Amino acid sequence: IAGITQAPTSQILAAGRRMTLRCTQDMRHNAMYWYRQDLGLGLRLIHYSNTAGTTGKGEVPDGYSVSRANTDDFPLTLASAVPSQTSVYFCASSPKPGNSPLHFGNGTRLTVT
Amino acid sequence: GENVGLHLPTLSVQEGDNSIINCAYSNSASDYFIWYKQESGKGPQFIIDIRSNMDKRQGQRVTVLLNKTVKHLSLQIAATQPGDSAVYFCAEAAGGTSYGKLTFGQGTILTVHP
């Protein structure tokens, strides 16, 4: 089934550790996005990529980095996790950066202790 | 409707009733609006979208209304079913390549009673 695959589904991480959340899509979408979802704050954009080889900062980029080496993969890295990064992380994609809705994965639930 | 705060707005309806979920947006430059449905443990699922050159758009059992004068968006669900129970989010974006950079509301919890 075509779509977005996120891994892991959930993770408990000690503060200070490095973590990479994986996201792969098989729809050949050009644009990809990372959002975090926190109760009461909705979904907030962390980083995005309009096409392979380019990335940009969203609303809450601090403490996170991304790369887009190819069309299908868009990993999100926490270099040194902090408890405030406890959240549910959603990866999304769209055919192009504009004029089309986003398709979301099922998320990664991350707890930083 | 949606507002700032830790408690999500809630809407409870009986099966078969029509539901109306409201959303106020703040950016007058926004020209693309979208509704998502999110079930527990899953990612948001696209329902319907509308662009600012329209004030109404219909889908299967759903209608989105846009009032740009008062910056208000609503989602109407006809003949609501228990499977419609979920959190509903509105989202907005400004034009051009900002379409994918959606700004989401906090969500409304819809509960449908059989």
Side-chain angles (χ1 to χ4, degrees):
Chain A
I1 298 177
I4 293 180
T5 302
Q6 291 187 238
T9 303
S10 65
Q11 181 75 44
I12 299 174
L13 186 68
R17 297 297 295 269
R18 180 184 179 89
M19 174 77 188
T20 295
L21 308 185
R22 299 184 298 278
C23 175
T24 299
Q25 54 105 355
D26 60 4
M27 298 174 284
R28 307 302 295 172
H29 285 175
N30 284 316
M32 297 187 74
Y33 312 86
W34 274 104
Y35 284 85
R36 59 177 289 174
Q37 184 174 37
D38 304 287
L39 187 63
L41 295 174
L43 288 123
R44 293 179 293 168
L45 181 65
I46 305 171
H47 284 288
Y48 66 94
S49 169
N50 286 337
T51 190
T54 69
T55 62
K57 295 181 179 180
E59 180 185 356
V60 287
D62 294 343
Y64 307 95
S65 64
V66 292
S67 61
R68 188 85 185 279
N70 58 60
T71 298
D72 298 343
D73 301 299
F74 191 44
L76 176 74
T77 297
L78 289 68
S80 179
V82 295
S84 63
Q85 292 177 310
T86 294
S87 187
V88 181
Y89 290 86
F90 288 99
C91 181
S93 71
S94 63
K96 56 183 179 180
N99 221 28
S100 58
L102 305 185
H103 300 258
F104 283 86
N106 281 329
T108 294
R109 182 175 294 276
L110 180 66
T111 302
V112 182
T113 60
Chain B
E2 300 184 8
N3 50 43
V4 176
L6 295 178
H7 301 287
L8 296 182
T10 60
L11 176 64
S12 293
V13 301
Q14 291 296 128
E15 182 178 2
D17 287 351
N18 296 332
S19 303
I20 299 176
I21 301 171
N22 296 303
C23 177
Y25 65 94
S26 57
N27 186 358
S28 57
S30 293
D31 61 359
Y32 178 63
F33 306 88
I34 191 166
W35 281 99
Y36 282 94
K37 170 187 180 183
Q38 187 175 25
E39 296 172 288
S40 181
K42 295 184 178 180
Q45 178 185 4
F46 168 76
I47 302 173
I48 192 168
D49 60 1
I50 188 168
R51 291 172 177 79
S52 59
N53 61 348
M54 304 172 68
D55 54 19
K56 179 179 180 179
R57 191 172 186 210
Q58 289 183 292
Q60 186 177 13
R61 282 202 306 120
V62 295
T63 300
V64 55
L65 299 177
L66 174 63
N67 185 330
K68 295 180 289 293
T69 301
V70 295
K71 296 202 282 290
H72 184 268
L73 191 68
S74 69
L75 177 70
Q76 300 178 0
I77 304 174
T80 315
Q81 303 166 2
D84 294 326
S85 295
V87 181
Y88 288 80
F89 293 93
C90 67
E92 59 180 295
T97 56
S98 295
Y99 274 136
K101 294 194 285 290
L102 296 171
T103 299
F104 284 80
Q106 294 184 63
T108 296
I109 300 172
L110 174 65
T111 302
V112 183
H113 300 283

